Amino acid sequence: MLTPTAPTTVRALIAPDKFKGSLTAAEVADALAAGLRSAGSGSGSVHCELLPLADGGDGSVDAAVASGFTRRSYTVAGPTGQPIRSSIAFDGFTAVVEVANTCGLGLLPDGTLDPLGASSRGFGEAVLFALSLKPARIVLALGGSASTDGGMGMLTALGYSFRDADGRQLYGNGRALAQIHTVHRTALPELADTELIVASDVHNPLLGTQGAPAVFGPQKGASPQDIAILEQGLEHFVAKLAEAGFADATVLVGHEGAGSAGGLGYACQLLGAKQVSGADYFLDLLDFNTRKDSCDVVITGEGSLDEQTLAGKLPAAVARRSGARPIIAVAGRSLLPKARWPEMAVTRVYALADYTNQDSAKDPGLSATLLRRIGRDIGASLL
């Protein structure tokens, strides 16, 4: 007589990045998990552990909250000065503060780009709020900025005063950079006692052909004339900081990452921040290694799998850390032929574009439906 086979339980760690413009990382993970669970049968089931991820861009606060941090809300000035309700993540030791949910492109009124008028002030206000909680460390997630002000806006919120030739206080934005006549700093003791970490995988310098205005300005609506104004304004900004006694003001211009988030990387380095790989830092912060060790398979993904993914974006970092267990990637679209999957150690790629003729990139409902279908197909393949 045959002994009945015990049902199989497969443990899956679902650790995706966001599908930009469509779904947050948490929404991607939820949809995949729903599909995986629906694939269960008498022969087995899939146990899902969800770990929405971020790499220092938009969604960093949400990812930290999903992993156990507490959300703390606060009102800040949006990219064009309008008050917005934002939030940081805090676990009693580390605070995560994000550009995208304070002064990001997605917060511009009516989506109207404002390359010269947008400011990073709201990000500085969020950092100030984080400092009031007395963290040992603040993680500065710089992706998604609407401004190219070199961090002037952030610095005004943190005690820096920028005045024009008539002594009037300047509101930090790209247009105001060229108007700076004097710079004065009021020391914040809290900053001296707090470790600052910039989590970013952007390596551009502040100025030049690979700098913030030239490379990222067009994404923020900057015309060629605007780019020239911003480049000259940032040069003036640096010169005035050096004139005011900031010894590192000039040398930091060429540092890797100084051009991230419209030059916010430069201002953060001026404050003594250390830049680290956004993908790897967040994987450590969210305890990825411990979580994947208890799972049989890892499912990761992002909106588009392409050459940039192979260059070290989040799914590649996840795959690199996942060891010998099967790694499955899910994407809105995949530009990587099967022959190149081994380059990021994935065993299978599922793309929403293979399940529909419609464009799901701007359709959250369709994206979620397709992810559930893909989750069900992955589940069936595992059992």
Side-chain angles (χ1 to χ4, degrees):
M1 181 177 180
L2 294 175
T3 302
T5 304
T8 300
T9 298
V10 177
R11 299 180 62 86
L13 176 62
I14 305 175
D17 198 355
K18 64 189 171 297
F19 280 28
K20 194 167 186 175
S22 178
L23 297 174
T24 67
E27 290 168 339
V28 172
D30 286 342
L32 284 170
L36 281 157
R37 292 177 183 130
S38 72
S41 65
S43 62
S45 62
V46 182
H47 173 82
C48 300
E49 181 170 354
L50 279 58
L51 184 63
L53 295 176
D55 60 1
D58 48 321
S60 295
V61 166
D62 288 343
V65 170
S67 75
F69 281 57
T70 300
R71 187 183 301 277
R72 303 292 294 267
S73 297
Y74 189 63
T75 299
V76 301
T80 53
Q82 77 283 18
I84 60 164
R85 195 68 175 164
S86 186
S87 62
I88 68 169
F90 186 51
D91 70 351
F93 184 86
T94 298
V96 179
V97 182
E98 178 184 314
V99 166
N101 73 4
T102 54
C103 56
L105 283 163
L107 300 175
L108 288 164
D110 301 319
T112 303
L113 301 175
D114 192 358
L116 299 180
S119 173
S120 62
R121 183 183 181 93
F123 182 67
E125 292 173 347
V127 172
L128 199 61
F129 173 59
L131 286 170
S132 73
L133 303 176
K134 297 181 169 46
R137 176 191 303 123
I138 298 179
V139 179
L140 306 164
L142 299 189
S145 169
S147 64
T148 308
D149 67 357
M152 179 185 176
M154 176 190 76
L155 294 174
T156 60
L158 296 176
Y160 286 68
S161 174
F162 299 91
R163 297 187 179 274
D164 65 15
D166 296 320
R168 292 173 298 200
Q169 177 71 42
L170 293 168
Y171 190 87
N173 58 29
R175 186 178 291 108
L177 291 167
Q179 302 170 31
I180 299 170
H181 184 68
T182 59
V183 181
H184 178 73
R185 171 176 56 179
T186 301
L188 275 178
E190 299 91 340
L191 272 176
D193 297 332
T194 306
E195 181 185 16
L196 299 178
I197 300 289
V198 170
S200 173
D201 292 306
V202 173
H203 302 293
N204 301 67
L206 180 65
L207 299 170
T209 57
Q210 295 302 308
V215 175
F216 304 113
Q219 300 170 11
K220 303 173 188 186
S223 66
Q225 182 181 2
D226 294 333
I227 290 170
I229 291 171
L230 292 167
E231 184 82 5
Q232 293 164 12
L234 287 170
E235 289 175 355
H236 180 74
F237 176 56
V238 171
K240 286 299 179 179
L241 287 168
E243 187 180 294
F246 294 90
D248 293 336
T250 302
V251 70
L252 288 175
V253 168
H255 274 212
E256 283 195 0
S260 62
L264 259 172
Y266 170 78
C268 291
Q269 291 178 20
L270 197 69
L271 295 175
K274 172 187 175 184
Q275 178 163 330
V276 298
S277 163
D280 282 309
Y281 189 84
F282 268 87
L283 287 175
D284 289 338
L285 185 68
L286 305 181
D287 201 22
F288 173 81
N289 285 353
T290 299
R291 295 177 187 235
K292 57 89 174 169
D293 283 344
S294 63
C295 292
D296 304 305
V297 60
V298 173
I299 302 170
T300 187
E302 62 179 351
S304 176
L305 291 180
D306 50 35
E307 291 288 340
Q308 290 186 8
T309 307
L310 296 177
K313 290 183 70 179
L314 198 52
V318 167
R320 186 179 68 248
R321 289 184 177 220
S322 294
R325 58 185 50 77
I327 305 152
I328 297 170
V330 179
R333 62 170 187 167
S334 175
L335 302 181
L336 297 177
K338 187 174 182 178
R340 302 198 66 185
W341 293 357
E343 292 182 44
M344 60 177 291
V346 298
T347 54
R348 180 71 190 269
V349 173
Y350 291 83
L352 273 61
D354 294 334
Y355 282 70
T356 181
N357 292 322
Q358 301 178 54
D359 181 8
S360 64
K362 301 294 184 182
D363 189 335
L366 177 59
S367 294
T369 297
L370 296 175
L371 284 169
R372 287 191 289 270
R373 284 180 56 190
I374 287 173
R376 187 167 61 249
D377 288 350
I378 292 173
S381 74
L382 296 174
L383 297 174

